[in-house]
Every structure is written in structure tokens, then in C-alpha cells.
Amino acid sequence: MWLHSLISSAIAATLLLHSHMQDGFPASSILYASTSLPFKLHPNGSTWTYTIIDQVCMGERQQEDPDLVTASHHDMLSSVLGAISMASRALQPCLQSLKQTKLQLLYIVYMGERQHEDPDLVTASHHDMMSSVLGGVHKEEAVSSIVYSYKHGFSGFAAMLTESQADQIAELPEVISVNPSRSVPLHTTRSWDYLGLGYEQPQPTGLLRRGNFGDGIIIGVVDSGKRIWPESRSFDDHGYGPVPSRWKGTCEVGENFTVNHCNRKIIGARWYAGGVDDSDISVDYRSPRDFQGHGTHTASTAAGSFVGNASFHGLGAGVARGGAPRARLAIYKACWGSNTRCPDAALLKAIDDAVHDGVDILSLSLGAIHSSIFASIHAVAKGITVIFSGGNEGPVTQTISNDLPWVITVAASTMDRSFPTLLTLGDNRTVVGQSILYESTDGGFKELADGGSCSRDVLNSSDVVGKIVLCYELAIASRSPPSQHFPLAASNVQEAGGKGIIYAQYSASILSFIDDICNGTVCVFVDYEIGKQIKDYVTNTRSPLVKVSQTQDMVGSGVMSPRVTAFSSRGPSILFPDLVKPDITAPGFLILAAVKDSYKFDSGTSMSCPHVSGVAALLKAAHPQWSPAAIKSALVTTAHTANAYGFPIEAEGVPRKLADPFDFGGGHIDPNKAADPGLIYDVDPEDYFKFFNCTYGPSATCALVGSRLYRLNLPSISIPDLKKTPLTVWRIVTNVGDTDSIYRAMVESPPGVNMVVEPSVLQFNASMTTHTFAVTFTPLQMVQGDFNFGSLTWLDDGKHAVRIPIAVRVIIHDSFSDTS
């Protein structure tokens, strides 16, 4: 932009000078002309050329003859081009200098496992490398170019480099990869009771009790840059014991954040501003303090302390707490600004510090982290369970993010709470919509208008001032999803003077938008069936009226749940089709949790992720010897695929459908069953590294595992390219239940596939705690097909059902696009 302004100013100045030097056109003859002078620059040998695109209005014609008018245009253009030629000659030296400028960008240099145990020696090796590459500069200058040094979980650094310097470093034998740092977006009173982790006096039951409320576990939260509001009641440390002695972190101070803001609940806080644009930092707190509320919400969901009488203006009232309310929190602020930019380099440093500090669980509610491939795998290798949100790009398929085999990727689903809002029409008929209308209405009827699509044109041609406006247009649904159209419709109604909006939509899980978008205006959602009833009433009534009642809470078995939300991103994974992703779903719709000094509803996989993080903390407390893979296995294999009535779980979308593994992985989280899974599918972290090396840098160890992810001992199987030849994969299960037990296989083959398990009976005792079995898949028809789904469940005497999801696609041709 600065170059654009420079050239524009130079051309404008030259034009002005030219008009005084010659008998050019008088400036007064121009009514308007764009001063931005949009142009494109093209390097052409030793010179630069550019194209200027603009419009000039000169008002009334000065000649009747059109040819004379055109001739005047040509004269003017010739004069302008002459002026621009002068500017061009003046600017050529500047442009040549610019062309030769060596632009520096922030690069991430990954070097794999540390070669020294001492972190200082790791950092020194980074300094030596930079000094060698930069050559001829003082070591201090080389060191200053390093923004972050990664020295705890792995070895690497982030530095400001030119492209040629990055290429030079990439050629060094000790370097695995060099990539530019990119930025990623950010991807609860009732929910914990709904998951069976209710706090019953005098003593809780189930996993909450077995895990001792998460006491002694440290959850690192790196899920957004708007990190923490320490004054929130959810972070009160009353009744907590000393900080765990193994904690090695720190409490970094900054703007409106002192060392006193850390306590026995928030035991550490760090912030990372290196490599972040000043424009993003300037609108944020230069400290771990929360800027907008997202971070406080997620942290309190995972491990918030007990807070009585929490609600959002009376809605959702109850005790707010986290899933592991006695766990400690470590805060890492790596994202900044109103647009929440999260540089890879900062996120990588946050994860590296978390490894050093001693966290047990890492919770990351944000978009796909490009650097997470090597950051998260090293964290898992150190015994840290890493949980990611799966993204909010649903219900479109192949939108799942953070789809790595060693992390837990979480989808979002609803729970048994809704917010019915009664609408009474002028003929005394009542219909029910959904809203979060917490302010008392005047109780009277208002005029009701049909706004159609609620476009500006439609509303401007109607009298909607002071009225409740019905937005009902079926054709809109095929062009724009409710999440995109509703904010526009609400804004149009407000601009037109409407008093409120009744918005007809298909189910899209957007109720949490209301408070931010409606901004005091009455907003109610209805489905198309109810919308049609209201539209018919308006059409057939001379003076239609409606009364909107205050929203009520509805909780319990009367609400059909869970359902996978419409916004929750779906599989299969584009990066790794050999994976079943997401791994699991958890509550992520209208979750009530802390935001600054109050409590608000929010929705997204950012909300479901900390639910799984809280449960993982309880599992780690109950089973401290379990690996991250064991915790993931326990969650996936005990998840349920049916609701409380035994109906299959549904997934919202267009249309609503029965959920499959690419919607919810193993199913909906069941914390108490996960505490006693019976069998687990464990993975040695070395197997991850073998796969990782094979995928991102072929090595001799590839053959030990193979390049296909279905060879890993994951609690799922995905085969995206089954052909005529039968394919066999192996799995190993470890008994963590009763010492003497017998499990029998129950097979649900994907349609069109024959699936055989050998052996089909597994017997465990004190000397036989693990078993290996084979699963062979054979296509029944040769077609260029799509994924079909099945499952394998190991059953003992009725106590355990250890289920893994299976996805298989039969194909004839490789690399075949299914665009039908």
C-alpha cells in the first residue's frame, strides 16, 4: 500500500506540474476523478511498466459534435500520459532499488529431536547456525534475528530470513524443514450434568470422584489469543492447596496483568508477541489478559472453579464449573487482535514452553495449525494429551481440521437444553420458536409484516417501521446458508426501522448469534413449517399482529439430543484419508461459561474441545500411568452412537441425517464409561515418528510401519482405496479391566464389504494382558464407490463394549474425482 501511495502521489504531483508548464486541460473542467490511481506494476527488463485503471467524469459536453467530444478525450489522455511518462522516469531509480530489496519473512526451522538435554545448549546451536548462515555479521545481529527458540519438546527456531537464507538453511543436514510462519483463526452449567458428571452432595460419583475433580492435573490452554480474565469467579483459588511442585512455568506480567493475577488456580501465564503485526497488538492487551472473552470461556469450561447462581440474564441458571474443577490452569497467549491472528511461530513456542512447564493436557480451540504436525507430536511423545477443536466449517464434507493421528480432534453437538419462545398471533394461535430473549417484553401485540427475503429492496418498498418482520423465503436457502443470510437480514430489518425479526430457516445451529447480531432487537428463529403458518396468517389477515413472550429454559429428556451441530466440520480428512476424523463429539452448542466478569453462551468446536480436555484431565488423574493414546482410546471406544431413547444420533445439515464416523468419530463422549474402558488401543510414540518421517521425509524406518495410517494401532480403521485384493490390517488391544476376562468380536461390516476378524475370541489373564488380531476386508462388488461405515465391538460378559468405527471405500481407479 505504501508503494501505491508513493507512486500515486508522484503521478498526481507531476500531473499538477505538467498542467502549469504547458497549455494542458484546465483542472476546473473535471468534475471528478479518482485520486487512488489504481495500477499494476510489471518488471520489464531494466524498467518497470504499469497499467492505470480509472474513470474521469467531465459533466456536460462542451461540443455538440460527438467526434469533437471524443477528440477532446484523446487530447486530455495524451496530456495525462505525457505527465505519467515524466513520473515514470522520476520513479525508475526508486523502483529499481525496491526490486533489489531483500524482503525478510518469519520462517520456522524444524530440526527434530533435541541433540542436547540442556535447553541452553540447544539455543546456542541455533545461534551458531544463524551466525554461520548470515556470515560476516556480528553474532549479536544473528541472535537478534531469531524470534523464538524451540528447545524443550524439540529443536528448532523461528527467525526473520530472506528467501535465499531460508533456502540455505534448508540445505543443512541437521535441518528437517523450513517453512514460512502462517496465521490461523480461532477455531456451562448444564453440559457437565448432561455428560453424567453432576456434582451430587455430599459426594459425587463416577469419573468426577475417581479423578478427584482433576486435582493435581495441569491443563495448558493455548486455544485462543484472547486468553484470560483472571478476576473471573471461575478462577478463584479458594480452598486450593499449593501449586504442584513439578510445575516449572512462570507468570509473565504485562499490561493490566501483574504477578498477583496468577494464583493457585491460574498457576502460570505467558504471552508471545514476537512476529505479530503491530496493528494486531495495538488493539489488544500486551499481556496474557483476555481481550474479547473466548479464552476465558474455554478455560473455565475445561477447569473452572465452582460458581453458584451463574446465568446469562437468568437463562441457563445453575452452578458453573469446569469438567475438572480442581485442575490447575496454565495460560499461553499466542494470538492477537480483533481478527485473532495466530502466527505459527508463536503457537509453536507456546506448545514448546508448555512441554517445559509440565502441563499434562493441552487444549487448543483454534483453526488448523500448520506447525502443529511437529509441535504436537513432540508434546505427545512427552506424555501430554493434546486436544484440538475440529473446526466450524460444517456441514460441508472434507472440512475437518487438525486431523493428525496422535491428537484428539473434537466435533460439536447439542445437549438436552433448548430455549423455547412463545409467539402468539392475532387470532390467538400460538407457535413456538427459539430465541434468547431475556429482557421482558411489554406483553402486548405488535404489528406483523411480511418481509419476504428481507433484502433492502423488499423492506424499502414495504412499511415495516415499528413492526415485527417475518423473513421467509425458501429460495434463499439454496443460495445462502442461515449463518450467512441471517446477519444480513437482521441488519436490513434494523436499518428499515423494524422492531423485531422472525426468521424462518432450516436447522443450522446459529442461535448463539442472536445476542451479538440482534443488539436489542427482538429476534426469534422458526423452521419453515412454522414460518409458512405465520406467512399464511399475514397474507390472509387485514391487520396481522404478533406477541413475543420472554424465552424460557427447557432442560431434560423432552429435548431430543445429542445432535451433531450443523457448523461442526466433517470428514473425511483431505490430508490423511486413512484416518477417521473427527475422533469424538462433545457439547459445543450454547455453552454457558465465563466471559470477563460475567457468563455468556457461545457455540463452536472451540466449546466442545475444552469439554474433552476436562474429561481427559479426570482420566489422567484417575489413571496417571495412561499414555495419550490410551486416553484417546478410552474416549473413542466407549462413546455412544445412540441417544437416551436408543435412537441413532443425528447430524444437522441439509438434510438432517443419521450421523456417521465422519460426523462424530466414535460417537458422543461418555466420561464415566471412559473411566473403565475394558480394553485400550495403545500406541508407542515411536510409531508416530516412523510414520511422520515417512510422510514428510522418507527414511529407512518407513518400512517398519508402512506409509499407510491404517497400519497404526488407532481406535478406528479407515481404508479409502479398497480394491479387488483383500486387505488385512492388524490391531493390538491391552486389557485394563478385570484380570481374567474373555472378549468376543461383534462385527458390523460396511455395506458392500465382507469383514472378518481373526481371532474372534480374546482371552486375558495375569500373564496375557495383550492380544493381536487381524481384520480382513474384501469387496463384494467392484464399483467406484463412496465411503461406507461399520464397526468392530469387543464384548465381555456384559460389563464392557469396546467399539471402534470403521470406514471403507471400494474403488476401481486411483485418484478418481467423485463430483456427482
Side-chain angles (χ1 to χ4, degrees):
M1 291 302 296
W2 66 267
L3 176 61
H4 187 286
S5 300
L6 171 64
I7 299 177
S8 297
S9 300
I11 292 175
T14 309
L15 283 172
L16 180 61
L17 177 64
H18 187 69
S19 67
H20 285 291
M21 290 173 61
Q22 302 182 32
D23 295 327
F25 55 87
S28 60
S29 68
I30 299 177
L31 292 186
Y32 69 78
S34 169
T35 57
S36 61
L37 290 175
F39 55 84
K40 295 180 180 178
L41 282 170
H42 314 281
N44 182 15
S46 61
T47 63
W48 291 73
T49 61
Y50 41 82
T51 303
I52 298 180
I53 307 163
D54 220 325
Q55 292 180 331
V56 178
C57 176
M58 301 174 64
E60 290 293 323
R61 296 183 300 171
Q62 301 302 309
Q63 294 93 7
E64 286 300 318
D65 186 344
D67 292 337
L68 292 177
V69 175
T70 300
S72 70
H73 298 166
H74 294 166
D75 291 343
M76 178 180 292
L77 185 58
S78 296
S79 181
V80 170
L81 292 177
I84 291 175
S85 178
M86 292 174 60
S88 173
R89 289 192 294 272
L91 286 169
Q92 287 298 334
C94 174
L95 294 173
Q96 279 300 309
S97 175
L98 177 71
K99 185 179 179 182
Q100 296 169 4
T101 298
K102 295 181 179 180
L103 181 64
Q104 286 189 325
L105 297 175
L106 185 61
Y107 284 85
I108 296 172
V109 179
Y110 174 56
M111 302 169 65
E113 285 292 325
R114 297 182 303 168
Q115 300 303 308
H116 310 280
E117 285 300 315
D118 186 343
D120 292 336
L121 293 178
V122 177
T123 299
S125 70
H126 302 160
H127 295 168
D128 291 341
M129 178 180 290
M130 282 299 297
S131 297
S132 173
V133 169
L134 295 182
V137 302
H138 293 295
K139 187 168 184 177
E140 291 75 12
E141 184 178 342
V143 170
S144 67
S145 67
I146 296 179
V147 178
Y148 297 113
S149 183
Y150 312 122
K151 54 190 176 182
H152 302 299
F154 57 95
S155 177
F157 57 90
M160 299 301 296
L161 302 169
T162 65
E163 184 176 357
S164 62
Q165 289 169 346
D167 291 340
Q168 185 179 349
I169 291 176
E171 295 298 321
L172 298 176
E174 62 266 44
V175 173
I176 295 176
S177 66
V178 180
N179 291 294
S181 174
R182 291 170 282 186
S183 294
V184 302
L186 288 175
H187 266 99
T188 133
T189 49
R190 176 59 189 165
S191 58
W192 293 112
D193 292 340
Y194 178 65
L195 294 179
L197 295 178
Y199 181 70
E200 300 89 4
Q201 297 289 349
Q203 194 64 246
T205 58
L207 179 59
L208 193 61
R209 178 182 59 80
R210 293 182 61 178
N212 196 25
F213 302 92
D215 194 19
I217 300 300
I218 303 170
I219 301 177
V221 186
V222 199
D223 66 335
S224 87
K226 310 156 194 166
R227 272 297 357 110
I228 206 74
W229 195 263
E231 294 86 357
S232 171
R233 292 178 293 164
S234 289
F235 307 126
D236 186 355
D237 67 349
H238 179 73
Y240 282 74
V243 172
S245 59
R246 60 190 174 85
W247 173 247
K248 295 186 292 184
T250 187
C251 185
E252 294 181 353
V253 300
E255 183 180 0
N256 289 349
F257 198 96
T258 71
V259 69
N260 294 326
H261 284 118
C262 292
N263 56 19
R264 291 171 296 177
K265 181 66 176 181
I266 303 175
I267 62 174
R270 296 178 184 265
W271 54 292
Y272 306 87
V276 181
D277 289 343
D278 289 340
S279 60
D280 291 323
I281 297 178
S282 64
V283 296
D284 206 326
Y285 291 104
R286 293 175 180 265
S287 72
R289 180 169 289 276
D290 194 335
F291 174 55
Q292 288 184 341
H294 184 275
T296 297
H297 196 285
T298 55
S300 64
T301 299
S305 301
F306 291 90
V307 178
N309 299 317
S311 71
F312 180 65
H313 299 281
L315 294 175
V319 176
R321 64 174 177 86
R326 303 295 287 185
R328 314 303 175 101
L329 287 166
I331 307 305
Y332 302 87
K333 179 175 179 175
C335 311
W336 298 82
S338 55
N339 294 323
T340 321
R341 299 179 187 275
C342 311
D344 273 352
L347 290 168
L348 204 58
K349 182 58 176 172
I351 295 174
D352 187 49
D353 280 342
V355 171
H356 164 268
D357 293 346
V359 305
D360 301 292
I361 309 293
L362 266 175
S363 183
L364 302 101
S365 290
L366 36 71
I369 306 179
H370 310 290
S371 59
S372 68
I373 291 205
F374 49 85
S376 57
I377 193 173
H378 286 284
V380 169
K382 301 294 184 182
I384 299 171
T385 300
V386 180
I387 299 106
F388 274 103
S389 55
N392 302 320
E393 305 301 324
V396 180
T397 62
Q398 296 182 305
T399 54
I400 191 71
S401 60
N402 299 313
D403 43 349
L404 301 172
W406 43 84
V407 307
I408 302 173
T409 310
V410 187
S413 46
T414 64
M415 56 183 172
D416 63 341
R417 178 169 64 192
S418 67
F419 297 96
T421 304
L422 192 68
L423 302 174
T424 304
L425 304 179
D427 59 4
N428 286 325
R429 275 189 294 164
T430 58
V431 296
V432 179
Q434 294 280 320
S435 185
I436 305 180
L437 185 60
Y438 52 84
E439 292 182 342
S440 179
T441 62
D442 59 17
F445 282 91
K446 296 287 189 300
E447 290 185 79
L448 177 61
D450 183 0
S453 65
C454 286
S455 66
R456 284 182 175 174
D457 290 342
V458 171
L459 294 175
N460 289 338
S461 64
S462 307
D463 179 17
V464 300
V465 176
K467 298 179 182 180
I468 304 293
V469 182
L470 171 67
C471 297
Y472 177 94
E473 181 60 68
L474 281 170
I476 291 294
S478 63
R479 302 195 302 268
S480 179
S483 60
Q484 295 178 10
H485 182 255
F486 168 67
L488 179 62
S491 175
N492 291 341
V493 169
Q494 290 166 348
E495 288 181 8
K499 186 72 173 179
I501 178 173
I502 300 173
Y503 186 79
Q505 57 153 58
Y506 58 80
S507 180
S509 311
I510 63 172
L511 190 57
S512 58
F513 287 5
I514 279 188
D515 192 52
D516 291 332
I517 292 173
C518 294
N519 195 25
T521 303
V522 173
C523 293
V524 183
F525 291 121
V526 296
D527 61 23
Y528 283 120
E529 180 181 353
I530 299 301
K532 181 64 164 60
Q533 294 179 30
I534 298 173
K535 186 177 181 68
D536 289 344
Y537 162 72
V538 174
T539 302
N540 298 313
T541 304
R542 183 184 299 272
S543 299
L545 301 171
V546 65
K547 180 172 67 175
V548 182
S549 300
Q550 195 169 345
T551 297
Q552 303 295 314
D553 275 335
M554 182 176 178
V555 175
S557 59
V559 181
M560 185 67 74
S561 66
R563 285 181 174 139
V564 178
T565 63
F567 59 74
S568 186
S569 291
R570 310 296 212 264
S573 165
I574 294 177
L575 185 61
F576 298 125
D578 292 358
L579 283 180
V580 171
K581 286 286 179 175
D583 294 297
I584 200 165
T585 190
F589 182 62
L590 289 177
I591 304 303
L592 185 72
V595 174
K596 295 190 176 180
D597 291 321
S598 61
Y599 291 82
K600 291 185 178 181
F601 293 112
D602 207 347
S603 299
T605 55
S606 285
M607 283 67 246
S608 57
C609 172
H611 278 86
V612 176
S613 300
V615 174
L618 295 175
L619 289 174
K620 186 66 176 177
H623 303 284
Q625 76 282 6
W626 277 9
S627 67
I631 290 175
K632 175 179 177 177
S633 175
L635 292 169
V636 173
T637 60
T638 59
H640 55 85
T641 59
N643 63 23
Y645 293 105
F647 302 153
I649 293 175
E650 297 175 328
E652 300 284 14
V654 188
R656 180 184 292 158
K657 68 180 185 69
L658 297 182
D660 62 50
F662 290 152
D663 299 316
F664 63 6
H668 192 272
I669 190 171
D670 191 330
N672 291 320
K673 284 189 176 179
D676 181 19
L679 305 175
I680 58 171
Y681 293 76
D682 210 349
V683 181
D684 186 334
E686 284 300 314
D687 290 341
Y688 294 137
F689 279 105
K690 292 169 186 173
F691 165 77
F692 177 80
N693 290 338
C694 184
T695 301
Y696 292 94
S699 66
T701 60
C702 276
L704 298 177
V705 176
S707 60
R708 302 304 298 267
L709 266 174
Y710 51 65
R711 304 295 185 192
L712 279 169
N713 198 47
L714 301 173
S716 60
I717 299 173
S718 176
I719 301 174
D721 52 1
L722 181 63
K723 295 183 179 179
K724 186 175 182 179
T725 303
L727 176 66
T728 300
V729 299
W730 287 265
R731 289 291 185 270
I732 301 172
V733 287
T734 301
N735 182 27
V736 293
D738 297 334
T739 302
D740 297 307
S741 55
I742 298 175
Y743 286 83
R744 292 176 172 81
M746 182 178 73
V747 174
E748 179 189 358
S749 297
V753 176
N754 182 46
M755 179 174 142
V756 177
V757 177
E758 283 291 336
S760 60
V761 178
L762 306 178
Q763 186 166 354
F764 297 92
N765 53 47
S767 60
M768 179 64 72
T769 58
T770 64
H771 271 293
T772 300
F773 61 89
V775 187
T776 301
F777 301 91
T778 307
L780 298 178
Q781 295 89 24
M782 289 309 300
V783 295
Q784 193 71 35
D786 198 357
F787 277 101
N788 285 300
F789 306 101
S791 63
L792 167 61
T793 307
W794 290 103
L795 301 168
D796 58 2
D797 57 3
K799 185 176 181 181
H800 301 105
V802 188
R803 179 185 180 276
I804 64 171
I806 291 173
V808 179
R809 178 171 59 191
V810 177
I811 68 167
I812 300 173
H813 303 287
D814 291 319
S815 304
F816 187 90
S817 294
D818 180 8
T819 59
S820 57

